[in-house]
Amino acid sequence: MEKGKKQVRLFYCVECEELAHKIAKQSELITLQSINWRSFDDGFPNLYINNAEDIRGQHVAFLASFSSPGVIFEQLSVIYALPRLFVASFTLILPFFPTGSFERMEEEGDVATAFTMARILSNIPISRGGPTSLVIYDIHALQERFYFGDHVLPLFETGIPLLKQRLHQLPDADKVIVAFPDDGAWKRFHKLLDHFPTVVCTKVREGDKRIVRLKEGNPAGCHVVIVDDLVQSGGTLIECQLRSDEDVRDFSRGISSPKSPCWIYGKWLNTICKVLAAHGAAKVSAYVTHGVFPKRSWERFLHNGSEKAFEYFWITDSCPHTVKAIANKAPFEVLSLAGSIANALQI
């Protein structure tokens, strides 16, 4: 064993099996452990942690994926059980914090489910080594780090280094410009991408129209990469069909109307894509750490013949169901978090 390094026993949920094996290949110090994910006839979990006595005094981790409410309960049952098995320390890796976009109340009656999830995770039992280490990648709202209680130590990581490595491998790396769809994305990511020229967009409302403008930067002749933390249905990124000359003119001016097909199918990030093209961008690609894509909405982005909205669409493997669905389908490429997670397990 390397001096100062720890041997980690890594458990994982069913849908994270592929990612868990990739993590284990990163280091001889990581050993995979198994759980029997069984159910009773009524559908409730009937779980069994294999070789439970062997993990006493060991550093233990669990790789989770809360991809739907239906799988959260069974994983929480394991997560709450593992620290109580006299382990030396416990780490929970939850690459995608799924309730992150529901972090605030806008009117009385709204439920901030991100706060609820943070409270649930904050009550993970303390192990012999102290509070649980909780590893999360690119949490949607930065203020959510303050939702967690003292029983967990949140470690907020990012997938941006994977993107930087990939961008430097492109044949036109010297032509790459990073585009931030709004000031929020710029604030959280620009310091991590300061080696690239940037474009910053902004949006304003005028009556029933939403107007997107280039706040700063010049994309002319460049390969522009839109960077954000997550995409849900993809409606905000998808290429739409223009039905009239007025739509074309509106797009070139950065205007999208709720009455037009541009608004219905594209929404404002698609408008950004069009605005970038109207300002001379040679290519447009996109990166999001978390490609959620419910209801197979990733299909909207597939290259069909000569038609393509994006040159590349990069995601990480934080959402395993999406990774399986888009395998070998252009323009998608998966940048694996495996190496980053392996490093985080040594902190």
Side-chain angles (χ1 to χ4, degrees):
M1 184 184 300
E2 297 178 45
K3 187 176 181 180
K5 298 289 187 177
K6 58 186 178 183
Q7 182 78 42
V8 179
R9 307 294 184 92
L10 178 61
F11 292 87
Y12 52 91
C13 67
V14 174
E15 64 189 71
C16 283
E17 182 174 2
E18 182 176 346
L19 177 55
H21 281 275
K22 289 182 179 179
I23 295 170
K25 288 181 180 179
Q26 299 292 318
S27 172
E28 295 179 353
L29 299 172
I30 299 174
T31 304
L32 296 183
Q33 305 288 138
S34 63
I35 294 169
N36 291 343
W37 299 94
R38 306 170 303 192
S39 298
F40 291 108
D41 290 340
D42 60 2
F44 275 85
N46 176 19
L47 309 170
Y48 184 76
I49 298 171
N50 293 307
N51 304 313
E53 292 187 0
D54 293 344
I55 65 173
R56 290 180 179 179
Q58 303 296 316
H59 299 286
V60 172
F62 181 80
L63 177 61
S65 176
F66 292 176
S67 58
S68 70
V71 301
I72 292 177
F73 178 68
E74 65 178 12
Q75 291 183 58
L76 283 174
S77 298
V78 172
I79 291 165
Y80 275 51
L82 286 170
R84 301 173 66 91
L85 294 175
F86 295 94
V87 300
S89 69
F90 180 62
T91 301
L92 172 61
I93 307 114
L94 182 63
F96 174 47
F97 188 69
T99 56
S101 56
F102 305 98
E103 82 284 358
R104 62 183 179 270
M105 293 175 57
E106 295 185 350
E107 61 179 323
E108 193 67 27
D110 284 342
V111 177
T113 54
F115 182 64
T116 304
M117 180 62 71
R119 292 175 69 186
I120 291 172
L121 296 176
S122 296
N123 283 286
I124 297 172
I126 294 176
S127 70
R128 290 179 63 187
T132 293
S133 298
L134 173 59
V135 181
I136 296 174
Y137 282 81
D138 290 320
I139 198 165
H140 183 64
L142 296 181
Q143 68 267 22
E144 291 168 0
R145 67 180 60 209
F146 303 111
Y147 293 177
F148 297 92
D150 293 338
H151 283 189
V152 294
L153 299 174
L155 175 62
F156 297 103
E157 296 283 6
T158 179
I160 294 298
L162 300 174
L163 172 64
K164 288 176 64 175
Q165 182 180 21
R166 183 66 183 94
L167 293 181
H168 285 301
Q169 295 171 349
L170 296 177
D172 57 353
D174 59 332
K175 297 281 189 181
V176 168
I177 285 183
V178 172
F180 299 107
D182 51 36
D183 286 334
W186 178 84
K187 288 177 181 178
R188 67 182 300 163
F189 291 131
H190 82 278
K191 290 183 179 179
L192 299 172
L193 292 161
D194 58 3
H195 289 88
F196 296 96
T198 59
V199 167
V200 182
C201 300
T202 187
K203 58 180 177 177
V204 296
R205 290 182 182 274
E206 290 186 3
D208 63 349
K209 292 181 178 179
R210 178 176 289 190
I211 301 175
V212 176
R213 295 192 178 100
L214 288 186
K215 183 177 179 181
E216 57 185 77
N218 180 13
C222 296
H223 183 175
V224 183
V225 180
I226 302 172
V227 175
D228 213 344
D229 61 318
L230 66 85
V231 60
Q232 286 279 356
S233 67
T236 55
L237 287 168
I238 188 173
E239 190 80 20
C240 70
Q241 297 294 321
L242 304 183
R243 304 287 181 85
S244 68
D245 291 339
E246 181 180 355
D247 288 334
V248 175
R249 289 196 299 272
D250 280 352
F251 262 135
S252 67
R253 293 157 53 205
I255 299 175
S256 183
S257 167
K259 297 179 181 179
S260 74
C262 307
W263 177 262
I264 295 171
Y265 298 108
K267 300 183 183 178
W268 75 278
L269 276 182
N270 175 64
T271 307
I272 290 175
C273 185
K274 287 291 184 179
V275 170
L276 291 170
H279 282 77
K283 302 176 187 175
V284 179
S285 295
Y287 165 86
V288 295
T289 302
H290 311 296
V292 185
F293 294 118
K295 299 180 180 179
R296 296 176 63 87
S297 54
W298 50 265
E299 292 178 343
R300 302 172 179 179
F301 296 93
L302 296 180
H303 287 177
N304 295 311
S306 61
E307 296 295 325
K308 57 183 181 181
F310 293 98
E311 189 74 17
Y312 299 97
F313 201 129
W314 294 290
I315 64 173
T316 74
D317 42 8
S318 65
C319 300
H321 285 313
T322 300
V323 171
K324 291 181 180 178
I326 58 90
N328 301 315
K329 294 181 174 66
F332 291 103
E333 287 187 9
V334 178
L335 309 178
S336 182
L337 295 171
S340 178
I341 292 174
N343 291 333
L345 289 175
Q346 292 298 328
I347 295 176

